[in-house]
Amino acid sequence: MEFFRSFRSYLRFGSSRFDGPLLFSMFLLFGMGMIVMFSASVIPAEREFSDSYYYLKKQLLWGSLGIILFLVFCQIPYQFLVKWSFVLSLLSLLLLVAVFIPGLGKSVGTSYGRSFNRWIQIAGFQIQPSEFSKISILLFSSYFFYNFDFKKIKWDKKKIVSLIVIFLTLLLIVIEPAFGTTVELLLVLFFFVLLAGFPMKRLLILGASILPLLVVLVTQVGYRKKRLEIWLDPYKFRFDEGHQLVTSFRAFFDGATTGKAIGTGYAHRYLAYSHTDFVLSSFVEDFGFVGFVFFITIVLFIMVRVFLLLERTKDKLGFFLGSGILILFGFQTILNLFVITGIVPVTGISLPFMSYGGSSLLTIFILFGILANITSKENLVL
């Protein structure tokens, strides 16, 4: 009985400065990611670098830095970050431009005949500016729409410049190209517009008017058109471009109820990007349906907990910004899940806290640090 009283006390909102259940579930997700990322990366690390621990050591480095940044950002008042969001947005724009500068940006060719310009090489480290742009866009657009009154629209120089900055950021991400990130940010902006009081009917009409452009971007751009064909019939391309998706299906099938011995499955040997975008396929192969249900439970707990915390925030700006982070986390997780199960075409989207990758890991730790500050005890109505 005492255990249940303690547990109820632990779950109570405001029982500590930063919400314990939220932080515990976040670090639990990261820990699960480290385990499966290591099991999925051993073979490619040995094959590419003759070091089975190569990816683990790098992820531990990024994870340690991410935790430090989390601890820093949860102490910084989010109002201060929002105040400097315009400067951060300009810096983000410069980094997005830098990916196209020879010698600084890193271009990667694909089997589709298209080059991707998504990375910057600095002092031996590779960063992805489009990931960090999520932070600046969330901070800047939350403040912009928080102060925007659709009933009394007054276009001044400040509002026009703000829209130009947001538009240029999205445009540069599209050109890289990073279509998945673009869709994520558009969804967040859509949600901010809705929160700001824009009529739902007009918003749906506006959204419908953008659909033809998205259809053109998907069906008329070479590599995306190819991905669409693979998605419609992955087994037709199972010996080349469709192998990744077909192997992901097999990982889910082989995982069965409780999974195979960790690191021994077919996907661990033959699934490309099994430690990055497709890490959840490796997780299910290792831990089966039981592990998958546990993962979904943790994600749902985080989302519900954040939602309930945001309902108690004193400040409307904090609610805007926190809701944007929640939407981004939820949509990115769902989109990754839809990709690896073939519900939507393959697009480069990482799984928060679990996929290998420094930029994505640092970004999600920073965003959750900001979220922890927004939902801290002093900012809640209890």
Side-chain angles (χ1 to χ4, degrees), residues 271-285:
L271 176 60
Y273 309 111
S274 60
H275 58 296
T276 56
D277 299 347
F278 279 72
V279 71
L280 189 57
S281 301
S282 299
F283 179 81
V284 174
E285 189 176 51

Side-chain angles (χ1 to χ4, degrees), residues 28-225:
L28 177 60
L29 202 60
F30 173 62
M32 289 161 55
M34 287 301 300
I35 293 171
V36 70
M37 193 286 304
F38 175 53
S39 75
S41 67
V42 167
I43 293 175
E46 182 64 35
R47 183 171 57 238
E48 296 169 24
F49 303 100
S50 300
D51 180 3
S52 302
Y53 298 94
Y54 177 82
Y55 290 113
L56 177 65
K57 289 185 286 189
K58 294 199 71 173
Q59 190 76 341
L60 282 171
L61 175 63
W62 289 118
S64 301
L65 181 56
I67 292 171
I68 292 171
L69 289 173
F70 168 81
L71 295 174
V72 169
F73 276 86
C74 70
Q75 300 291 340
I76 301 174
Y78 64 89
Q79 297 92 339
F80 175 81
L81 295 173
V82 168
K83 181 181 178 181
W84 287 93
S85 60
F86 181 69
V87 175
L88 293 173
S89 296
L90 294 180
L91 177 61
S92 178
L93 278 175
L94 290 175
L95 290 174
L96 288 170
V97 170
V99 302
F100 300 102
I101 299 176
L104 185 58
K106 182 180 178 181
S107 178
V108 176
T110 69
S111 59
Y112 304 109
R114 177 72 182 268
S115 293
F116 286 9
N117 301 88
R118 295 178 180 172
W119 300 272
I120 295 175
Q121 199 83 25
I122 300 177
F125 289 96
Q126 189 171 288
I127 65 170
Q128 192 171 349
S130 60
E131 284 292 327
F132 296 111
S133 69
K134 295 175 184 178
I135 302 169
S136 61
I137 281 286
L138 278 167
L139 290 169
F140 188 58
S141 57
S142 63
Y143 181 69
F144 175 79
F145 287 107
Y146 162 73
N147 288 300
F148 203 95
D149 187 354
F150 284 103
K151 296 178 182 178
K152 300 176 183 178
I153 299 179
K154 293 182 181 180
W155 292 104
D156 53 27
K157 184 179 178 180
K158 188 176 180 181
K159 284 188 175 68
I160 293 172
V161 170
S162 297
L163 284 176
I164 290 172
V165 168
I166 293 172
F167 173 76
L168 287 176
T169 301
L170 292 173
L171 180 63
L172 287 169
I173 294 173
V174 169
I175 294 172
E176 285 188 359
F179 189 68
T181 301
T182 307
V183 173
E184 278 185 85
L185 294 177
L186 282 174
L187 182 69
V188 171
L189 292 173
F190 181 91
F191 182 75
F192 280 153
V193 170
L194 187 62
L195 276 182
F198 193 79
M200 173 66 82
K201 185 177 179 180
R202 293 184 183 180
L203 190 59
L204 290 174
I205 293 172
L206 180 62
S209 67
I210 297 175
L211 283 177
L213 175 61
L214 294 177
V215 170
V216 169
L217 287 174
V218 170
T219 60
Q220 300 304 313
V221 177
Y223 80 97
R224 293 195 190 106
K225 186 177 180 180

Side-chain angles (χ1 to χ4, degrees), residues 22 78 81-82 134-135 137-139 141-142 184 188 191-192 195 302-303 306 310 317-333 352-353 363-375:
L22 175 60
Y78 64 89
L81 295 173
V82 168
K134 295 175 184 178
I135 302 169
I137 281 286
L138 278 167
L139 290 169
S141 57
S142 63
E184 278 185 85
V188 171
F191 182 75
F192 280 153
L195 276 182
I302 290 174
M303 295 181 67
V306 171
L310 291 176
L317 174 60
F319 178 79
F320 260 67
L321 178 55
S323 298
I325 296 172
L326 174 60
I327 290 294
L328 189 76
F329 169 77
F331 180 72
Q332 187 169 332
T333 302
F353 292 113
T363 297
I364 197 65
F365 265 121
I366 290 171
L367 288 176
F368 266 70
I370 297 171
L371 189 60
N373 182 267
I374 294 170
T375 58

Side-chain angles (χ1 to χ4, degrees), residues 224-272:
R224 293 195 190 106
K225 186 177 180 180
K226 183 67 174 178
R227 284 181 176 180
L228 188 62
E229 292 174 2
I230 295 167
W231 172 64
L232 291 172
D233 189 2
Y235 286 93
K236 179 181 177 181
F237 303 93
R238 63 186 179 276
F239 297 117
D240 40 68
E241 294 98 332
H243 176 74
Q244 188 178 21
L245 192 54
V246 170
T247 307
S248 179
F249 294 161
R250 176 167 176 173
F252 273 78
F253 179 79
D254 288 351
T257 304
T258 57
K260 300 172 72 70
I262 293 180
T264 63
Y266 180 86
H268 286 69
R269 298 193 301 275
Y270 301 111
L271 176 60

